[in-house]
Amino acid sequence: TMAGDEGEAGLTAPEAKTETADVKKDKLVQIEFAPVEELKASTVCCCCMQSFYTSWPAMCGVQQEIQCICCESQTSCKCLQHGVAENRVCSRSKSFSTCIDTSMEEFICLESGSEFVLCFCLKGASTLWCGFKDLRPCAGKGNVLCCDCRFGIPPGDETVPFGIAICGKALHPKDYKGGSMQ
């Protein structure tokens, strides 16, 4: 369950931290990234890659995961989720949030999460966390409808390898491996 189910009084800081851990543990944000082998016409500029993802109906929605230095966010929103009993509502959401939480051992600048159903057919969830526990490079990937974007600063094999390509044609290096050029 998400925070907000516990009543009008809300959550105290330790409970909010537990709820956030539960959101990540229970994987309310279930991201389904576009498989690399299904990307088409990838264009790459140094550390960024944009491709087309046309698998129907999997492309219908937003799937995203981003991290940058001290923040990370995950979002999953799927369209065309009609016909399911739990989605028979115009608008429903549950959320929690904590900001500048000094009550815990770990200092948290911002932590939030939400779960939602909109317009009888959109269903999703998201989380956001900012703090200073683990500093990491900037990287992200995901799709909004048919546009799949990925980036990594610095570029690398785990994110987006350095290269230049236009519409699936590698320019530099000529044997570039990434996106639709596998």
Side-chain angles (χ1 to χ4, degrees):
T1 62
M2 296 281 297
D5 286 354
E6 290 75 23
E8 296 296 318
L11 299 175
T12 62
E15 290 170 322
K17 177 62 179 169
T18 301
E19 285 295 324
T20 303
D22 288 345
V23 167
K24 292 176 183 174
K25 180 183 71 176
D26 294 342
K27 297 186 186 313
L28 285 177
V29 181
Q30 296 180 6
I31 302 172
E32 297 174 14
F33 295 114
V36 174
E37 59 275 2
E38 293 185 30
L39 298 179
K40 296 175 176 27
S42 297
T43 296
V44 181
C45 183
C46 301
C47 60
C48 301
M49 177 172 48
Q50 190 276 320
S51 306
F52 294 101
Y53 177 50
T54 58
S55 181
W56 180 264
M59 64 171 257
C60 294
V62 175
Q63 307 295 315
Q64 169 181 293
E65 185 172 67
I66 297 173
Q67 67 180 34
C68 191
I69 304 172
C70 61
C71 295
E72 63 182 47
S73 71
Q74 299 85 27
T75 300
S76 177
C77 177
K78 297 180 181 179
C79 304
L80 306 174
Q81 302 296 305
H82 48 75
V84 180
E86 67 183 29
N87 296 347
R88 293 182 187 157
V89 62
C90 182
S91 176
R92 177 178 51 232
S93 67
K94 302 174 194 175
S95 64
F96 66 90
S97 179
T98 184
C99 182
I100 308 180
D101 185 351
T102 60
S103 67
M104 307 292 284
E105 195 172 298
E106 175 186 335
F107 175 75
I108 297 170
C109 293
L110 175 65
E111 187 166 35
S112 66
S114 67
E115 182 179 36
F116 53 88
V117 175
L118 299 169
C119 301
F120 304 99
C121 65
L122 298 170
K123 184 174 183 176
S126 65
T127 61
L128 172 64
W129 184 90
C130 294
F132 298 101
K133 182 179 178 185
D134 297 320
L135 302 180
R136 49 191 151 307
C138 294
K141 67 179 177 178
N143 71 289
V144 175
L145 299 175
C146 67
C147 294
D148 182 274
C149 297
R150 299 167 189 234
F151 71 93
I153 302 171
D157 292 338
E158 307 80 41
T159 56
V160 175
F162 179 84
I164 306 289
I166 298 174
C167 295
K169 174 69 174 150
L171 302 176
H172 179 77
K174 294 286 186 192
D175 62 346
Y176 182 84
K177 300 290 184 212
S180 62
M181 297 156 287
Q182 291 298 320

